[in-house]
Amino acid sequence: MTTPHGVVQTPAFMPVGTRGAVKAVTARDLEDLGAEIILGNTYHLYLKPGDALIARCAGLHKFIGWNRPILTDSGGYQVFSLAAMRRIDDEGATFRSHIDGSLHLLTPERAVDIQAQLGSDIAMVLDECVGPPPGSDPGRSFTHLGSDPGQSVTHISADVARIAMERSAVWAERARRRQLQLRDDPGSAPEVTIMNPGQAQFGIIQGGTDPGLRTESVQKTLEVGFEAYAIGGLSVGEPVDVMYDVVAHTAPRLPDDRPRYLMGTGMPDDLVECVARGIDLFDCVLPTRNARNGQLLTSRGPMAIKNARYAEDMAPPDPDCTCYTCRHFSRAYLRHLFVVGEMTAATLNSLHNIHFYLDTMRRIREAIVFGSFEKLRREFHQTFSRRPQI
Amino acid sequence: MTTPHGVVQTPAFMPVGTRGAVKAVTARDLEDLGAEIILGNTYHLYLKPGDALIARCAGLHKFIGWNRPILTDSGGYQVFSLAAMRRIDDEGATFRSHIDGSLHLLTPERAVDIQAQLGSDIAMVLDECVGPPPGSDPGRSFTHLGSDPGQSVTHISADVARIAMERSAVWAERARRRQLQLRDDPGSAPEVTIMNPGQAQFGIIQGGTDPGLRTESVQKTLEVGFEAYAIGGLSVGEPVDVMYDVVAHTAPRLPDDRPRYLMGTGMPDDLVECVARGIDLFDCVLPTRNARNGQLLTSRGPMAIKNARYAEDMAPPDPDCTCYTCRHFSRAYLRHLFVVGEMTAATLNSLHNIHFYLDTMRRIREAIVFGSFEKLRREFHQTFSRRPQI
């Protein structure tokens, strides 16, 4: 995938840099880890420090000191899951900031403008997310780990899913029109400072868990026409098999010469399983969030580092791993840092988990090239798939 | 200064790794910054994870993944400033853990044994600290910055200072006897696992701000005889000129072929001024603690990064600085990270502040070699000394 800030090898995983930083690590760490692209959250950056300020500071890349590609979401997901109040109508989403309660209106056009001012390499359209039930912890919906699959099913009626899908399609058209206006006739929008004229725009397929709605959403979104397409509205509490089925249904209907991006997924085995179903691009807070909560993702399964059994365990967290953390530190030390609450615990755990994700993607790419992807997939399933924590 | 884990160029500054980690940075960061020695806090490591556990994990160096020299304090300072309860008598210090209220007895011998099990390169003797008044925030006493010098004077009566000095001298003798026992006849103390047979032991000069008491403490401590000597009981709230005077009085009375260590000091100009008075070794939490509080120490003076004036300031924090933070990030970005509470703020600020301290020591060493130390001292005084924050 080629962007104004360089090439991204796909399938790729994007570490999440919510507020202009991937939590607990530095840009230098990310470069060392081989991250080729990161994700920034428009909702957070819009509220603080603001897209206008970032534009005056030469755009998001310069502002955060990251010269490789950046994808920004539209802000919609956080409006739906994080804002203090939200009201959706055809115009857009009216919401109150979770920081100071201030009132904001996010429209499809405004989401385009904000991302134009951020200057990301890939901008996402505003869509209506019906996944996370209001008031739910948005983070929980990302992780299947340790949760009872039956418990986390979100019941979304077909009506709600249809309305959201149709509204998203209308919004997609408005967003595209605005994007093309800024691209073709920037002088007509003097209020927007376009920081990255080569910015691509991705459309998003909605439709919940209904294959018919998904097909319809694909048709409507392809009709609008974007540089590439994402699958939204998954990993929001539905059973993992349902998620896989929706991906298997939707991905092949998207152009195979464009990257297909599965938003907000997932567990390490989700990466492998969804690549098998045609996905090229992933993002998820799981590796960094779980790191801060003391969960290491390893080739032998997830590991709760605070477990007393590691108190004197001088082995590296993952003996098969070549990351900085595993090459230099023991389970005993990482447990100690976590138990006493040292920030360095978050850093070392995050370095490992991000490495594990990026290394998984490297292995997937290699396996595809060498024709051994199905073998890798079986191995991964046996050694990792949702087994109890070690 | 030569230690079992390598040579330390003096004068040197030791970043403080309280609980087995210098807060917010990794060992790799510290190595990159050129740190040649760090300090570990015996009080914290004794309580968690415990010196016996660290010994079973092959000693502090292996446990924390740091192969360069480590100095450990005796734990006394934290008992006096941090413990939930403390009672001092001739035997030692009885205290309750600030973590779980458990009861502990720290004697001069026990402080030796704990540090023997940690395996640091330099162990400090247990002394009686009368500096910080009970219940005071131990951190505040470290920083002169922004405080009214008059306000922070601690009044310690000559009697209290004499009793503490005399008790420290007796404790020094007991500590030395125990150290030599472990060194010469380790079999006689099978309950202690000696992790570093080459460990040095430093005595500590006490005596408050009374030159007579300081002279007496020097005599008593030299009589006991240690590998080298430290000046304790300063930077605990006394006016900075008094601190300088005590250093000027005490340092020349210590052997000039051994490093002289000024404990717990201080501000950047304190480093220069105390080197001028004969000091070779420093430690202080100030660079890392102030970093976490958003204060950058720069060649132009201290900088409060959260200041609104930096919101769109794309200059590096310190244009004369060559650290990672200053080479890659702007004041605007660091302010943003600090304001939104990203951990990366603590990391980037700490990298800068530690670099500033270590670089100051490098400049001091160079100036000494080239005979330009007095010039450096004047410059430093003009550009840094206690001026208002920028």
Side-chain angles (χ1 to χ4, degrees):
Chain A
M1 181 171 75
T2 303
T3 81
H5 286 85
V7 171
V8 176
Q9 300 173 75
T10 60
F13 176 81
M14 302 183 281
V16 177
T18 304
R19 300 182 293 195
V22 175
K23 286 190 197 301
V25 302
T26 63
R28 162 168 80 175
D29 292 332
L30 284 171
E31 286 159 10
D32 284 355
L33 287 165
E36 292 187 328
I37 179 169
I38 61 172
L39 181 144
N41 285 126
T42 290
Y43 172 86
H44 291 283
L45 294 169
Y46 160 72
L47 292 178
K48 264 180 195 279
D51 51 301
L53 185 147
I54 289 176
R56 287 193 298 273
C57 290
L60 189 56
H61 292 84
K62 288 261 195 276
F63 184 67
I64 71 171
W66 174 257
N67 292 319
R68 299 182 183 181
I70 300 174
L71 178 147
T72 45
D73 61 13
S74 69
Y77 185 81
Q78 274 75 32
V79 167
F80 286 86
S81 60
L82 209 57
M85 180 281 292
R86 76 206 65 85
R87 201 185 60 237
I88 316 299
D89 57 24
D90 289 343
E91 171 64 6
T94 304
F95 68 95
R96 286 196 184 278
S97 157
H98 73 291
I99 302 172
D100 61 8
S102 55
L103 201 65
H104 303 265
L105 171 64
L106 187 66
T107 64
E109 292 82 4
R110 190 83 185 84
V112 168
D113 293 354
I114 294 168
Q115 294 176 82
Q117 299 214 121
L118 295 175
S120 54
D121 297 283
I122 299 168
M124 302 303 300
V125 297
L126 182 67
D127 57 344
E128 183 173 356
C129 313
V130 289
S136 72
D137 174 357
R140 285 196 60 89
S141 61
F142 283 118
T143 169
H144 301 293
L145 247 186
S147 66
D148 175 353
Q151 202 177 20
S152 59
V153 178
T154 309
H155 294 285
I156 302 160
S157 76
D159 276 2
V160 170
R162 166 163 292 283
I163 291 168
M165 184 277 284
E166 290 184 345
R167 180 173 280 154
S168 294
V170 175
W171 285 2
E173 206 173 329
R174 286 166 55 189
R176 188 60 179 173
R177 198 178 310 129
R178 181 65 172 180
Q179 186 83 19
L180 294 180
Q181 180 194 345
L182 297 186
R183 198 178 289 174
D184 300 336
D185 186 13
S188 66
E191 71 280 18
V192 181
T193 310
I194 298 163
M195 296 311 301
N196 188 347
Q199 184 183 62
Q201 186 184 40
F202 285 14
I204 304 177
I205 311 303
Q206 285 287 349
T209 55
D210 181 322
L213 285 181
R214 287 281 171 181
T215 303
E216 223 176 298
S217 181
V218 168
Q219 285 161 352
K220 288 174 188 286
T221 313
L222 288 179
E223 253 168 52
V224 177
F226 292 92
E227 275 73 44
Y229 302 88
I231 302 177
L234 290 178
S235 288
V236 291
E238 78 284 356
V240 67
D241 290 338
V242 172
M243 188 263 280
Y244 289 169
D245 286 348
V246 174
V247 171
H249 174 85
T250 310
R253 291 175 159 73
L254 297 171
D256 62 5
D257 61 342
R258 302 298 170 95
R260 299 155 175 160
Y261 165 29
L262 178 59
M263 304 180 78
T265 299
M267 285 294 295
D269 46 344
D270 294 341
L271 305 178
V272 178
E273 287 306 312
C274 293
V275 165
R277 289 164 175 80
I279 298 299
D280 305 291
L281 205 51
F282 299 89
D283 80 279
C284 192
V285 295
L286 198 142
T288 41
R289 175 173 295 163
N290 288 25
R292 297 195 303 285
N293 295 332
Q295 188 183 64
L296 297 168
L297 288 323
T298 79
S299 60
R300 295 157 192 212
M303 168 184 269
I305 198 66
K306 75 173 171 197
N307 199 311
R309 88 178 68 170
Y310 301 126
E312 303 188 19
D313 187 339
M314 288 299 281
D318 183 347
D320 299 329
C321 177
T322 60
C323 81
Y324 171 68
T325 302
C326 289
R327 278 184 291 114
H328 291 87
F329 305 101
S330 65
R331 297 166 181 181
Y333 180 55
L334 294 180
R335 175 180 190 268
H336 163 66
L337 291 179
F338 184 78
V339 167
V340 300
E342 280 288 336
M343 284 186 203
T344 309
T347 300
L348 294 178
N349 293 351
S350 296
L351 291 177
H352 169 79
N353 278 359
I354 296 170
H355 178 274
F356 184 72
Y357 269 61
L358 296 177
D359 192 55
T360 296
M361 300 316 293
R362 266 190 294 269
R363 290 170 60 205
I364 290 174
R365 289 195 299 268
E366 243 179 59
I368 291 171
V369 168
F370 290 104
S372 57
F373 177 74
E374 284 303 323
K375 183 165 166 285
L376 172 70
R377 186 180 174 189
R378 278 194 306 276
E379 279 173 15
F380 220 86
H381 192 72
Q382 281 163 12
T383 58
F384 197 87
S385 180
R386 285 178 177 67
R387 49 172 182 149
Q389 285 191 149
I390 56 172
Chain B
M1 181 170 76
T2 303
T3 81
H5 286 86
V7 170
V8 177
Q9 299 173 74
T10 60
F13 177 81
M14 303 183 282
V16 178
T18 303
R19 300 182 292 194
V22 175
K23 284 189 199 302
V25 302
T26 63
R28 163 169 80 176
D29 292 333
L30 285 171
E31 285 159 11
D32 284 355
L33 288 164
E36 293 188 327
I37 178 169
I38 61 173
L39 180 145
N41 284 127
T42 290
Y43 172 86
H44 290 282
L45 294 169
Y46 160 72
L47 291 178
K48 264 179 196 280
D51 51 301
L53 185 148
I54 289 176
R56 287 193 298 273
C57 290
L60 189 56
H61 291 84
K62 289 262 195 274
F63 184 67
I64 72 171
W66 173 257
N67 291 319
R68 298 182 182 181
I70 301 174
L71 177 147
T72 45
D73 61 12
S74 69
Y77 185 82
Q78 274 76 30
V79 167
F80 286 86
S81 60
L82 209 57
M85 180 282 291
R86 74 206 66 85
R87 202 185 60 236
I88 316 299
D89 58 24
D90 290 343
E91 172 63 5
T94 303
F95 67 96
R96 285 196 184 280
S97 158
H98 73 291
I99 302 170
D100 61 7
S102 55
L103 200 66
H104 301 265
L105 172 63
L106 187 66
T107 64
E109 292 83 3
R110 190 83 186 85
V112 168
D113 293 354
I114 294 169
Q115 294 176 84
Q117 299 214 123
L118 295 176
S120 54
D121 297 284
I122 300 168
M124 302 302 300
V125 297
L126 182 67
D127 57 344
E128 184 173 356
C129 313
V130 291
S136 72
D137 173 357
R140 286 195 59 89
S141 60
F142 284 118
T143 168
H144 301 293
L145 247 187
S147 66
D148 175 354
Q151 203 177 19
S152 59
V153 177
T154 309
H155 295 284
I156 301 161
S157 76
D159 277 1
V160 170
R162 166 164 291 282
I163 291 167
M165 183 276 284
E166 291 185 344
R167 181 174 278 153
S168 294
V170 175
W171 285 2
E173 205 174 329
R174 285 167 54 190
R176 188 60 177 172
R177 198 177 309 129
R178 181 65 172 179
Q179 186 83 17
L180 295 180
Q181 181 195 346
L182 296 186
R183 197 177 289 173
D184 301 335
D185 186 15
S188 67
E191 71 279 17
V192 182
T193 310
I194 298 163
M195 295 311 301
N196 188 347
Q199 184 183 60
Q201 186 185 38
F202 285 14
I204 304 176
I205 311 304
Q206 286 288 349
T209 55
D210 181 324
L213 285 181
R214 287 281 172 180
T215 303
E216 221 177 299
S217 180
V218 168
Q219 286 161 350
K220 287 174 190 286
T221 313
L222 288 179
E223 252 168 52
V224 177
F226 292 92
E227 274 74 44
Y229 303 88
I231 302 177
L234 290 178
S235 287
V236 291
E238 77 283 356
V240 67
D241 290 339
V242 172
M243 187 263 279
Y244 289 168
D245 286 348
V246 174
V247 171
H249 173 85
T250 310
R253 290 174 160 75
L254 297 171
D256 63 5
D257 60 342
R258 301 300 170 93
R260 299 155 175 160
Y261 165 28
L262 179 58
M263 302 179 79
T265 299
M267 284 295 294
D269 47 342
D270 294 342
L271 305 178
V272 178
E273 287 306 312
C274 293
V275 165
R277 289 163 174 81
I279 298 299
D280 305 292
L281 206 52
F282 299 88
D283 80 279
C284 192
V285 295
L286 198 141
T288 42
R289 175 173 296 163
N290 289 27
R292 297 195 303 284
N293 295 333
Q295 189 183 63
L296 297 168
L297 289 322
T298 79
S299 60
R300 294 156 192 214
M303 167 184 269
I305 198 66
K306 76 173 168 197
N307 199 311
R309 88 178 67 171
Y310 302 126
E312 303 189 18
D313 186 341
M314 288 299 281
D318 183 348
D320 299 329
C321 178
T322 60
C323 81
Y324 171 67
T325 302
C326 289
R327 279 184 290 114
H328 291 86
F329 305 101
S330 65
R331 297 167 181 179
Y333 181 55
L334 295 179
R335 176 181 189 267
H336 163 67
L337 291 179
F338 184 78
V339 167
V340 299
E342 280 288 336
M343 284 187 202
T344 308
T347 300
L348 294 178
N349 293 351
S350 295
L351 290 178
H352 170 79
N353 278 359
I354 296 171
H355 179 272
F356 184 73
Y357 269 62
L358 296 177
D359 192 56
T360 296
M361 301 315 295
R362 266 189 294 269
R363 290 170 59 206
I364 290 174
R365 289 194 300 266
E366 243 179 59
I368 292 172
V369 168
F370 290 105
S372 57
F373 177 74
E374 284 304 322
K375 182 165 166 286
L376 172 71
R377 187 181 172 187
R378 278 193 307 275
E379 280 172 16
F380 220 87
H381 192 73
Q382 280 163 12
T383 57
F384 197 87
S385 182
R386 286 180 178 65
R387 47 172 181 149
Q389 284 191 150
I390 56 171

